[in-house]
Structures are given as C-alpha cells and as structure tokens.
Amino acid sequence: MQVLGIETSCDETGVAIYHSTQGLISHHLYSQVDLHAEYGGVVPELASRDHIRKLVPLIKQILHERELPNSDIDGVAYTAGPGLMGALLVGAATARSLAWAWQIPAIAVHHMEGHLLAPMLEANSPEFPFVALLISGGHTLLVSVEAFGRYRLLGESLDDAAGEAFDKTAKMLGLGYPGGPKLAELAELGRPIYKFPRPMTDRPGLDFSFSGLKTFALNTYNESTKTVQDKADIAEAFQRAVAETLSIKCRRALRQTGISSLVVAGGVSANRRIRSCLSEMAQQESCDIFFPRPEFCTDNGAMIAYAGCQRLLKGEHEGLEIVVRPRWPISQLL
Ligand code: KG4
Ligand code: ZN
C-alpha cells in the first residue's frame, strides 16, 4: 500500500509518500519561518493562506519527481488535529478532495500520534511496548505505548508545553522566532553558573509544569547586567533545567511501568543537550532509547504518511464529511 501524507497543522507544509513494504519513498517540507519571523510568532491566518499557496504545488512536485501516476496512490493521510483550525482545514480539505477524485480512502491522523511513531521511519526502530516522551510546541506528554493505537497517558504538562517554554523564554531574551533552536544555539556559549529549579520533581507523579521556569529566567535576567554572556548563561541554565526535569520524569516512568524502551519525539527532541541527557539516563537504567532523525523531530509529512498507512492497513478510513479537531486529547485516540 502506498500512502500520500499531508501535514499542515501549524507553520510547516509537509508532504510525503510512504510504502507499506518499501518504507519512506520521498518527503518534502516547506517551512513558513520567514513569513512569521517579523511578527515574533505564528500568525494563524497567514499560516492558513500560505498552506493554500504551497500544498498543491508540493503534492504535484513529489508525484512528478517520483514519476508516480495518481493511480499508484492507495490512500491519503492528513493531520486532522490538534493544531490551528484554519491550517488543519487546508490539509483536510485538500486530502479529502484528492481522495474523492482518485476514488481512494482518506484517513485522519492525530498529529501527536504522528510524532510518536516518527522513530518507526528509522532503520533502527523500537518494538512495542515503549514509553514515549512527546515534547513539542503545543504538548508535553508521557505515554505508555502498548501497541499501535494503544496509548495510555502517564503524564502531561499542566501549563506551558516544553517547546512553548523554550519559545517564550527565547522571546523574553530578545532572541526572536523560532525561539527553541535560537535559545539552544545561545546556550552552547553559556557557562554553568546558575541553578534553576527542576519543577514538580520533588513530589510523586509524572506531570510537568514549565511556566515557572520561564518566570525564573525572566527574574534572573532582570537581576543580571543583561550582557550577551548573561543571556547565554541563562539560556544554558534554562535548557539544563528542562533537560534534567525531562530526564527525572522519564526515569520515573520507565521504573513505574517496568518498560525498558524509551522513544523521544516532537520538535524539542531535536535539542542536542536534551538528547544527550536522556541518552545518559537511559544507559544508566539499561534501557534502549530511540529518537527520530532531527528533520523528523519537528513537523513533517513523513510521520503522517506512516501513521495513516498503519491505520489504513487496519481497514480504517473516514466518511465524506471534512472534520478537523483543533483540540484532540491523545487519550481519546483508539
Ligand atoms: O513538533 P513541533 O515541530 O511542532 C508542534 O507540534 O508544536 O515542535 C515545535 C517546537 C517549538 O516550540 C520549537 O521552538 C521547538 O519545538 N524546537 C526546539 C528545538 N527545535 C525545535 N526546542 C529546543 N531546541 C531545539 N533544537
Ligand atoms: Zn508537531
């Protein structure tokens, strides 16, 4: 089975073709970063309009490059949520229209399920069961994954998601958008002189809270001399605090569940410091750890094509109506 995947939930237009036996055939990504940079964050209406401009040309390009006739596509997968309403509607309407025109099934994919399964696109992929830490701009989730489609929520962020905290802290330090990678870059120049808190690690449970760290960073910045080196030192302390907090919670989740395999995915999992901190913890716990390649940590069409293909193989598909779910808890996914 060969599936076209479409991702338009936020500020990246992603398309991909995944083959159930040959694996990933091709993928393309168009990032809207330059469009939103002057506003310091994603402007939802501009995002929708840009997806409209870019999506169909990208689909044409991927089919043309691979010399694939439409008749070789057996299904169309699209992100139906969670995400920005307008942006989701562009992908959903395009996917449903193509599926209708080509007389093939369409399948709605949960964006976080896409992230969760992204490591499956790698040669060294995890086997079930595993614990998944999903760290993106909108969500921080710890999930026990017993099988494909069997997800048990272990913990989540009670306020800012990890990526959101990176972005807001970066903005406060005047680093602009997209904040996460910029803060990570600056943190490389930082000295380990500040010690930030490790929120919610001194009590039991697997939930997270990152908004206090952002305030801690702001207060530290206001008390500093506000030089570039001060900013770098604060970025380093913030990043170290996030990395160690995630590591403490993952260690706890692995011990609690007795599972010895950890998957880390979502945009923030591209962060080198976080990857090394979690890898070190996994080694201490004698657990295996899996990350997607950096380009599949952030939003992409490949993970949606993969997740959609698995659901289509199970015989699932959507009705004719176009439904998107800007809010869609992963715990409601079966
Ligand atoms: O998964 P993703 O591409 O989109 C959502 O589903 O939200 O994640 C985007 C988030 C943003 O908050 C971005 O700043 C963060 O991932 N991010 C990073 C890094 N690369 C992306 N955060 C820290 N370090 C990075 N290297
Ligand atoms: Zn995402």
Side-chain angles (χ1 to χ4, degrees), residues 58 91 100 107 126 172 180 182 184 188 234 271 273 275 323:
L58 270 184
W100 186 78
I107 185 79
M172 234 168 49
K182 288 194 172 162
E188 302 267 319
I234 290 168
N271 185 288
R273 171 87 198 210
R275 285 170 96 100
V323 181

Side-chain angles (χ1 to χ4, degrees), residues 13-220:
T13 316
V15 300
I17 293 168
Y18 183 84
H19 192 287
S20 53
T21 53
Q22 293 167 29
L24 186 64
I25 304 294
S26 184
H27 70 100
H28 282 301
L29 189 76
Y30 171 79
S31 169
Q32 300 180 351
V33 161
D34 294 342
L35 175 72
H36 300 293
E38 69 173 291
Y39 303 98
V42 179
V43 183
E45 187 54 31
L46 293 183
S48 322
R49 291 182 200 189
D50 213 39
H51 286 307
I52 292 174
R53 272 192 290 270
K54 296 296 179 335
L55 181 55
V56 172
L58 270 184
I59 295 171
K60 280 187 175 161
Q61 185 187 342
I62 202 167
L63 292 175
H64 180 73
E65 277 172 9
R66 290 279 150 180
E67 295 178 359
L68 278 174
N70 305 344
S71 54
D72 278 10
I73 302 294
D74 304 303
V76 188
Y78 60 96
T79 304
L84 302 170
M85 172 65 112
L88 290 168
L89 275 171
V90 177
T94 306
R96 296 308 323 269
S97 306
L98 285 175
W100 186 78
W102 295 346
Q103 296 288 294
I104 54 174
I107 185 79
V109 173
H110 190 291
H111 182 76
M112 298 312 289
E113 181 178 53
H115 276 306
L116 189 152
L117 297 172
M120 299 296 193
L121 293 161
E122 307 303 337
N124 175 28
S125 60
E127 281 180 16
F128 300 115
F130 54 79
V131 169
L133 171 70
L134 303 178
I135 34 180
S136 73
H139 298 83
T140 305
L141 306 173
L142 256 174
V143 185
S144 161
V145 181
E146 280 119 44
F148 174 74
R150 281 188 31 215
Y151 310 127
R152 189 163 57 88
L153 187 64
L154 301 173
E156 62 187 326
S157 178
L158 304 179
D159 41 54
D160 291 353
E164 192 178 357
F166 261 94
D167 294 340
K168 287 179 175 170
T169 304
K171 198 168 192 173
M172 234 168 49
L173 295 175
L175 305 181
Y177 158 90
K182 288 194 172 162
L183 190 142
E185 202 183 319
L186 185 63
E188 302 267 319
L189 309 173
R191 303 160 301 178
I193 52 173
Y194 292 116
K195 170 98 177 158
F196 282 24
R198 302 329 184 217
M200 292 184 72
T201 54
D202 56 354
R203 63 186 100 156
L206 295 169
D207 287 333
F208 303 90
S209 164
F210 289 113
S211 79
L213 269 185
K214 172 190 70 190
T215 316
F216 202 91
L218 177 64
N219 293 340
T220 311

